[in-house]
């Protein structure tokens, strides 16, 4: 069964965007609404006929043109608005590739979390009958977004996004991809159930941060169920499981030596053998990230092992190996209101 690619990230839907001070330090602020409105009027004056059209091919072409203009636009408000409008028209016109690309480009430059915009775009795309390549792009985008939502404990929204993906594939003969999405959907309730079950352990840690059982439970949940590796590894270093405790400590040390990286990869590969479903895939992918790091410096049997296992790794969200940025959440409803700006 082909694995649907995913990614992990902290997400805030409902128009509250999470800004990570370290990750977004070099990014531009979202332009003020008045500046966006003025830029939108300028854009519409140039493309007045295209804006009036309900033809999906015209909308998709407009989206591509706007995205191309954004690449060379120097004015921040105009460039942001070009990205925003490209997302809107691409998703309405059935161009999943352009819609997701425009979202990614916007997020690379501007201090936003792209999750809310992607949810909007994927919802629109699910309402359009898509050609096979675009349907696959939309479904894969949904799978990535589902993992972001799971990481944020937003399980109801994650279930909706699985529905968007399955709807996008309704006219496409891809039973394996459909089965993979359904399996991902089934995992949401499992993760939600685990989330509820670890609540007591979280309370325990507030009273006793070194409790080994609570650290083990939360560490496994954050790493295996959610893919929040940097958070989960810190819990595992205080767990009562000697093997996991050492493996987590070695991983957090982030060694540059290929043999040390290979050893860490082997450790997580063995841990994956004890798991099933999406959680197993997630741990295999994490092990694969270390095989990939180690590979250029490996020789002989170690190299052959790494290459073989990399070929067996599913493409799922493994999470990062570096330190997570410090987060602060601010409400930017006044700056980016999807219900209004994306009508």
């Amino acid at each position: 069964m082909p694995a649907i690619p995913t990614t992990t990230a902290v997400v805030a839907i409902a128009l509250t965007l999470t800004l990570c001070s370290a990750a977004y330090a070099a990014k531009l602020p979202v332009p003020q609404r008045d500046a966006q409105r003025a830029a939108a009027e300028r854009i519409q004056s140039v493309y007045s006929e295209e804006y009036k059209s309900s033809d999906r091919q015209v909308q998709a072409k407009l989206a591509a043109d706007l995205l191309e203009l954004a690449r060379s636009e120097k004015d921040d408000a105009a460039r942001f608005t070009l990205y925003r409008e490209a997302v809107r028209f691409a998703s309405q016109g059935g161009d999943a590739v352009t819609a997701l690309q425009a979202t990614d480009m916007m997020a690379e430059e501007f201090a936003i979390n792209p999750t809310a915009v992607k949810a909007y775009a994927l919802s629109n795309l699910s309402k359009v009958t898509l050609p096979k390549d675009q349907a696959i792009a939309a479904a894969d985008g949904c799978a990535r977004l589902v993992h972001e939502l799971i990481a944020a404990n937003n399980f109801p929204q994650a279930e909706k996004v699985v529905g968007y993906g399955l709807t996008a594939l309704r006219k496409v003969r891809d039973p394996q991809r459909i089965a993979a999405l359904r399996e991902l959907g089934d995992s949401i309730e499992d993760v939600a159930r685990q989330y509820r079950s670890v609540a007591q352990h979280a309370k325990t840690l507030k009273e006793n941060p070194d409790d080994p059982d609570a650290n083990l439970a939360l560490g496994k949940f954050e790493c295996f169920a959610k893919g929040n590796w940097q958070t989960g590894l810190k819990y595992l270093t205080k767990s009562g499981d000697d093997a996991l405790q050492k493996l987590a400590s070695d991983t957090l040390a982030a060694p540059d030596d290929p043999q040390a990286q290979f050893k860490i990869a082997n450790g997580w590969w063995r841990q994956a053998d004890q798991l099933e479903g999406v959680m197993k895939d997630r741990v295999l992918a994490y092990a694969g990230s270390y095989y990939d790091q180690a590979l250029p410096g490996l020789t002989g049997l170690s190299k052959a092992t790494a290459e073989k296992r990399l070929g067996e790794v599913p493409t799922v969200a493994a999470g990062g190996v570096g330190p997570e940025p410090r987060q602060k959440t601010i409400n930017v409803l006044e700056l980016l209101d999807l219900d209004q700006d994306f009508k």
Side-chain angles (χ1 to χ4, degrees), residues 28-40 42-43 70 73-85 109-110:
L28 297 169
V30 176
Q32 295 293 324
R33 290 181 61 80
D34 287 347
Q36 291 186 49
R37 189 174 295 110
R42 289 170 53 203
I43 296 168
E73 175 59 55
K74 302 301 182 184
D75 180 78
D76 293 343
R79 190 168 64 260
F80 180 90
T81 308
L82 284 165
Y83 287 140
R84 190 195 72 184
E85 294 294 88
E109 291 192 53
F110 293 92

Side-chain angles (χ1 to χ4, degrees), residues 2-7 136 139-145 147 177 184 315-317:
I4 295 180
T6 59
T7 58
I136 288 174
D140 290 353
C142 286
R144 288 190 291 269
L145 183 55
H147 277 272
R177 201 171 232 97
L184 182 58
T315 310
V316 299

